[in-house]
Amino acid sequence: MPPLLTITSHFFLQIAVILLTYRLLWPLFRRLAQVQVVAIMVAGFLLGPSVLGAIWPAAQQWLFPTTLSIGAETFTHPNLTVIYVVGQLGLVLYMFLVGASFKLDILGAHVRQAGITSAAGIGVPLVFGGVIGWWMVSIGGYFTDEVVPWQGGLFVAAAVAITAFPMLAWIICDSGLLNTRLGTMALSCAAVDDACAWVLLATVVATAKGSLFGALLAVGGGLAYLLFMVYVGRPLLARLETWTPPRADVERTGGLPISHLTVVLLVLLTASWFTDVVGIYSVFGAFVAGAVMPRGALLDAIRDRFEPLVAYLLLPAFFIYSGLNTQLTLILDPSTLLMAGVVLVASFAAKFGAIGLAARWQGMSWYEAGSMGALANARGLMELILLNIGFEAGLISGKLYTILALMTIITTFVATPLQRLIERRLARSGAKFGPAGEEPHDEAIRYSAPQIPR
């Protein structure tokens, strides 16, 4: 086992290389109408075995080792574990900040539209994915022998229905849509769709192991957590705005009281732990914790201190992890490419069509409805995490992993340019997306790379 000092110093080098790579990629991706998170995701694949490993295997294995051999046994390399843990910390902090910026008043004004659109966004992809997954099990080679047709159908259904909540949050923040009806409803739909997808995954994993307890725990625990935070946690946390901290705490931190910050961090970390334990993933616990926090000077101070560090130092470790553990060489197999094409077309059409038509039926304009459908296809790292869980649980083969990973990359890459194309057409008509929908707009839209907006 490497000494702790060696692990630490190598980790510093890894983070430096990750940041340098994605910053070098960013000017190109900005020209392609992408957001920084996509550049970070691609940096992970470039630094992984698929590109750097193919060009210079020795350098890639030295820089980003994934396994460690001690005698006859092989273990996960400690540096890979460190990258994973740091990335998870960055993820929950970021989702807390997104929840803290979430516009509950906008959602409250459009809760019926958000509910119906979410139902369409999960229902139609479930049907498409279920049929494809059932077909894959009957063909053979995509799932392991322990998986029966209905379990394969549920797994692919979850993979098709999912929208990467953290990825979408970054895209909406980076595009300046967080304070709009479009951004709020897109995040709401993603939250519901991802929660359903994780419940389906928990059901597949639990039944494959011969137990329904995991699925019941995910549903019951997630609902109990949400109700507790809304009806108990929110009123208690509201007292933070009226609780006067010690003067010394405020003076040492330039306006951010340590006592208040400690309470907020305790709530965030406990919420993330609980939702991970019950099986609905820590991002939902962090997001809900941020959403129920009292709005005011305390939350503004926390966002000011945490946003740059979280978004541009900790989060890249999360987005790099799956890239380092994904093999893309299998996409050159003709049969895999054919099946990938079927999955890709079905996944994109199901999400874009269902969300777009449902949003239009709920009174949104074609511009808003089209943008909703485009953003819903940003599957990103939540999809890759789902694939990793399925692969490690012995449910899927490397072939199916590759197909779904390819679908993830393409749909995520297309999501932002398609949405911005729609937004540019809206701008030419003299309108923009606002809190109530389309609003008059006289200035041309500028696509820069802002910090996480208020």
Side-chain angles (χ1 to χ4, degrees):
M1 184 69 66
L4 292 178
L5 181 60
T6 301
I7 295 173
T8 303
S9 61
H10 199 75
F11 172 72
F12 292 156
L13 176 62
Q14 290 174 320
I15 292 297
V17 171
I18 292 169
L19 295 178
L20 177 62
T21 303
Y22 105 76
R23 287 305 300 175
L24 291 175
L25 289 173
W26 171 233
L28 171 63
F29 278 73
R30 181 168 52 192
R31 291 175 179 270
L32 297 174
Q34 295 293 338
V35 292
Q36 294 193 53
V37 65
V38 178
I40 296 173
M41 184 173 70
V42 173
F45 293 111
L46 293 179
L47 295 172
S50 299
V51 179
L52 181 59
I55 299 172
W56 195 359
Q60 195 277 327
Q61 294 171 12
W62 175 83
L63 184 59
F64 293 104
T66 57
T67 59
L68 178 67
S69 298
I70 301 178
E73 297 188 44
T74 301
F75 304 91
T76 300
H77 198 281
N79 275 101
L80 184 63
T81 302
V82 173
I83 289 177
Y84 177 81
V85 172
V86 171
Q88 289 297 306
L89 177 61
L91 176 63
V92 298
L93 287 171
Y94 181 77
M95 291 312 300
F96 172 82
L97 295 174
V98 172
S101 301
F102 197 64
K103 300 302 179 183
L104 296 173
D105 54 340
I106 299 178
L107 176 61
H110 306 284
V111 64
R112 183 179 64 86
Q113 295 95 323
I116 295 177
T117 306
S118 298
I122 191 71
V124 175
L126 282 180
V127 174
F128 277 63
V131 171
I132 294 174
W134 192 291
W135 177 39
M136 285 180 170
V137 175
S138 64
I139 293 175
Y142 296 99
F143 289 91
T144 57
D145 296 335
E146 292 78 13
V147 178
V148 297
W150 72 268
Q151 293 171 334
L154 283 184
F155 183 87
V156 178
V160 171
I162 204 168
T163 296
F165 194 36
M167 181 77 74
L168 183 61
W170 188 305
I171 291 173
I172 287 174
C173 288
D174 224 20
S175 302
L177 298 173
L178 190 59
N179 296 330
T180 65
R181 181 173 70 173
L182 169 62
T184 301
M185 289 190 60
L187 282 175
S188 302
C189 292
V192 174
D193 292 357
D194 281 10
C196 292
W198 286 110
V199 170
L200 291 178
L201 177 63
T203 302
V204 174
V205 173
T207 54
K209 295 179 179 179
S211 172
L212 284 174
F213 178 74
L216 295 175
L217 182 63
V219 176
L223 182 60
Y225 167 75
L226 180 61
L227 293 176
F228 176 84
M229 292 300 289
V230 171
Y231 293 106
V232 180
R234 189 176 184 183
L236 291 176
L237 291 170
R239 299 181 181 181
L240 289 175
E241 283 298 319
T242 59
W243 172 28
T244 303
R247 184 177 181 85
D249 282 0
V250 179
E251 291 177 350
R252 281 199 305 268
T253 57
L256 182 60
I258 297 176
S259 52
H260 287 48
L261 177 61
T262 302
V263 172
V264 171
L265 291 177
L266 283 173
V267 171
L268 166 62
L269 296 175
T270 305
S272 301
W273 165 79
F274 179 79
T275 47
D276 253 341
V277 168
V278 299
I280 58 171
Y281 206 60
S282 57
V283 294
F284 299 105
F287 176 81
V288 172
V292 301
M293 284 289 168
R295 271 49 176 172
L298 173 64
L299 211 55
D300 291 341
I302 290 176
R303 290 204 302 263
D304 288 338
R305 304 299 194 281
F306 278 77
E307 280 175 0
L309 178 68
V310 171
Y312 301 107
L313 179 61
L314 299 181
L315 260 188
F318 168 76
F319 287 109
I320 218 77
Y321 178 79
S322 288
L324 294 175
N325 290 278
T326 302
Q327 293 276 1
L328 298 180
T329 54
L330 291 177
I331 65 174
L332 300 178
D333 178 70
S335 61
T336 304
L337 280 176
L338 179 61
M339 183 60 76
V342 174
V343 172
L344 176 63
V345 172
S347 301
F348 186 89
K351 266 296 188 185
F352 184 86
I355 292 285
L357 291 176
R360 177 58 180 162
W361 181 53
Q362 290 303 303
M364 284 187 162
S365 69
W366 282 114
Y367 291 114
E368 270 192 301
S371 292
M372 284 277 292
L375 291 171
N377 271 295
R379 290 176 173 88
L381 265 293
M382 291 296 283
E383 178 82 24
L384 295 179
I385 292 171
L386 182 146
L387 299 183
N388 286 331
I389 292 174
F391 191 76
E392 292 172 4
L395 301 178
I396 64 176
S397 66
K399 184 181 293 187
L400 180 54
Y401 185 102
T402 303
I403 289 175
L404 294 177
L406 178 64
M407 178 269 290
T408 301
I409 295 170
I410 294 176
T411 54
T412 303
F413 194 87
V414 170
T416 307
L418 180 58
Q419 187 277 321
R420 289 184 171 177
L421 175 63
I422 296 171
E423 194 169 5
R424 281 197 295 270
R425 293 189 175 182
L426 175 64
R428 294 193 193 103
S429 68
K432 67 174 182 177
F433 295 124
E438 291 185 13
E439 298 177 351
H441 185 42
D442 298 327
E443 299 180 3
I445 295 177
R446 298 180 177 86
Y447 294 111
S448 59
Q451 297 280 334
I452 302 173
R454 294 288 182 267

